[in-house]
Amino acid sequence: MPRAFEFADRWEVAAPPAEVAAVLVDLEHYPRWWPQVRAVARLGPDTAWVCCRSALPYTLDLVLDAVSRTPPVVEVAISGDLDGYARFTLTEVAGGTRLDFAQRVSVRGWLAVASYAGRRVLTWNHARMMAGCRAGLGAATAAAR
């Protein structure tokens, strides 16, 4: 039985939206700046295999398909160990870009079973993953400037 998770977050990066979007759409280089993204392989012009591992000792194998690569929305469809989407909406603000992150995914199999008792732990694990994104994206856009 699949189980759904929804996540939302908001933060700002000291770079214009075009620079932030350029980093976000360059999936092949995620492991350089996002520590929890362990490996990426390009499967096609708009598709990549992504291996992620956050604080808990399990690895997610995902396939990401680009839905939108054009600001203000950068979005991927997710399949594999998770099914759903992840979306960044980029808004220009004084001093840079506000990122509104939204993700809705379903899990099945052993992860769905684990989510009944361990939903809080899985949510915490996702928060650690996104903390890595926040810090790494800030550093990657700063390095590009």
Side-chain angles (χ1 to χ4, degrees), residues 1 94 108 110 119 137:
M1 173 93 129
R108 52 187 185 285
W110 71 268
R119 188 172 189 88
L137 184 59

Side-chain angles (χ1 to χ4, degrees), residues 31-98:
R32 290 184 183 173
W33 61 267
W34 194 342
Q36 293 82 5
V37 176
R38 303 300 174 95
V40 176
R42 184 176 179 187
L43 301 176
D46 293 323
T47 305
W49 167 82
V50 179
C51 175
C52 301
R53 184 177 181 138
S54 192
L56 295 178
Y58 68 88
T59 301
L60 294 175
D61 287 317
L62 308 173
V63 175
L64 305 182
D65 289 295
V67 174
S68 173
R69 294 172 158 246
T70 308
V73 176
V74 175
E75 181 176 346
V76 293
I78 303 169
S79 60
D81 289 336
L82 307 175
D83 288 306
Y85 70 87
R87 176 187 310 125
F88 288 97
T89 303
L90 311 177
T91 305
E92 188 169 359
V93 296
T97 302
R98 183 183 72 227

Side-chain angles (χ1 to χ4, degrees), residues 12 15 20 28 38-39 41 44 50-51 77 82 102 107 123:
E12 293 182 10
V20 174
E28 291 180 75
R38 303 300 174 95
V50 179
C51 175
L82 307 175
V107 298
T123 300

